[in-house]
Amino acid sequence: MKQAVEVITSSLGALLSTASAGEVIRDGAVVVIAGPPNVGKSSLFNALLGRSRAIVTEIPGTTRDALEAVIDSGKWPLRLVDTAGLRETEDRIERLGIEVSERYFAGAHVVLACAEDSRNLEETINLGSRNSTATILAIRSKADLVITRDKYMPSQHVISVSAETGSGLQELLAAIDDSLDTQHGEF
Ligand code: GDP
């Protein structure tokens, strides 16, 4: 009897994981690009898209809302979300952007925590972990730029990417696929 229950439980578990994998294959895994303003989130979004969909700007915090695009470059289809900056602010419009980020966090499968230096990276990772159960990948953006002082060691593996040169993008896409394999099983 106990054995039969175990067999049923494990079959149900397998069925449930297939169901969630099916959902991800149908709708795309939600991949949220998060981080402070001006770290290159929109540029990364565009680089991953391979064409210009978001407005890239030098003024911090001008991405007012989230932009979404589905890409099919790896194993799993990805629903990329470019969120507004995570900066704490009284600005109402920017505040709205942040609320959008928080809402997207809740439904995320993977969060790309982006920053140019390790201290901001650690803060973005922590914010992501507080707001989401998603796998958080640590991304050092603008890897083509030399940083002079960055003595702070992040607690997890960091993927360095440059939207400018394209370096690290393949590693990033592979890491996203690996995270989804872990969450939903390989297919
Ligand atoms: P966001 O506010 O985080 O979305 O940042 P943006 O994508 O708007 O980028 C802010 C600024 O950084 C712009 O001037 C971009 O051209 C620049 N930028 C973004 N990615 C890179 C990169 O990989 N390398 C370099 N050198 N500059 C970048």
Side-chain angles (χ1 to χ4, degrees):
M1 179 63 183
K2 188 165 170 261
Q3 233 177 1
V5 170
E6 274 167 13
V7 169
I8 292 169
T9 311
S10 98
S11 309
L12 275 176
L15 203 64
L16 276 174
S17 70
T18 321
S20 75
E23 213 171 276
V24 170
I25 292 164
R26 193 189 60 216
D27 301 333
V30 179
V31 178
V32 173
I33 307 176
N38 228 23
V39 296
K41 297 182 300 298
S42 299
S43 304
L44 178 61
F45 178 85
N46 284 331
L48 289 171
L49 235 65
R51 65 196 161 93
S52 202
R53 274 283 295 272
I55 299 162
V56 181
T57 168
E58 293 187 24
I59 307 161
T62 45
T63 310
R64 295 303 192 192
D65 202 340
L67 275 176
E68 266 190 52
V70 176
I71 61 166
D72 221 351
S73 55
K75 197 161 120 188
W76 298 83
L78 308 178
R79 184 172 292 273
L80 275 186
V81 181
D82 174 21
T83 70
L86 296 175
R87 192 173 50 178
E88 295 290 336
T89 176
E90 290 306 306
D91 181 294
R92 201 184 143 269
I93 304 169
E94 197 158 271
R95 182 70 218 150
L96 274 177
I98 291 166
E99 280 160 8
V100 171
S101 306
E102 284 168 3
R103 198 166 63 235
Y104 269 106
F105 270 153
H109 294 96
V110 179
V111 171
L112 309 184
C114 300
E116 287 175 65
D117 62 82
S118 302
R119 187 172 291 276
N120 278 319
L121 193 50
E122 200 69 23
E123 273 173 25
T124 308
I125 292 168
N126 290 341
L127 216 131
S129 337
R130 274 204 302 277
N131 290 285
S132 175
T133 54
T135 304
I136 313 246
L137 298 180
I139 314 296
R140 182 169 108 65
S141 55
K142 306 190 190 178
D144 56 296
L145 300 181
V146 178
I147 38 171
T148 44
R149 54 186 174 83
D150 191 13
K151 299 198 180 78
Y152 195 75
M153 287 300 288
S155 55
Q156 69 180 83
H157 174 69
V158 177
I159 303 167
S160 293
V161 302
S162 167
E164 195 75 19
T165 66
S167 72
L169 293 180
Q170 276 315 317
E171 190 197 338
L172 172 57
L173 286 168
I176 295 172
D177 269 346
D178 283 349
S179 308
L180 294 167
D181 282 346
T182 307
Q183 286 175 23
H184 301 288
E186 296 194 36
F187 67 90

